[in-house]
Amino acid sequence: MHELAIAEAIVDRVAETAAGRRVVRVTVEIGDQTCVSCEALAFSFGLVAEGTGVHGAELVTRLVPGDALNVKSLEIEEAA
C-alpha cells in the first residue's frame, strides 16, 4: 500500500510548512495515471496525522489528468 508512504510524506511536508500551527485542510491533486487510491490515501492520511499539527485536518483530493501528485494548498488555523 504505497498510499501510506505518500501520506507520510504529505503530513511531514505540511507539518513542516505549518511550523507548529494547526492545519485545517490540505488539498491534493492526484493524477489519474498514478495508481493512487483517493480512499486509501485519505485513510492513511488520517492515521499518519494522529499526534501531529495535521491531526483532524480535512484531506481534499482532486483527480486530475496525468501522472503527478501535488499538494496544491493548505489552510492553517488563524491565531487567536
Side-chain angles (χ1 to χ4, degrees):
M1 183 159 117
H2 62 284
E3 286 85 356
L4 183 59
I6 294 168
E8 288 174 334
I10 292 170
V11 168
D12 288 348
R13 188 59 166 305
V14 168
E16 179 183 319
T17 301
R21 298 168 291 173
R22 192 174 87 74
V23 178
V24 177
R25 180 177 298 110
V26 178
T27 302
V28 177
E29 288 185 344
I30 301 171
D32 61 359
Q33 297 176 13
T34 61
C35 298
V36 172
S37 163
C38 293
E39 293 81 16
L41 182 61
F43 177 78
S44 297
F45 179 86
L47 292 176
V48 173
E50 287 185 24
T52 73
V54 186
H55 179 77
E58 175 187 9
L59 178 67
V60 176
T61 56
R62 295 186 184 140
L63 197 58
V64 297
D67 60 0
L69 189 147
N70 297 302
V71 175
K72 293 305 285 184
S73 67
L74 61 113
E75 182 179 329
I76 297 173
E77 186 174 72
E78 294 283 328

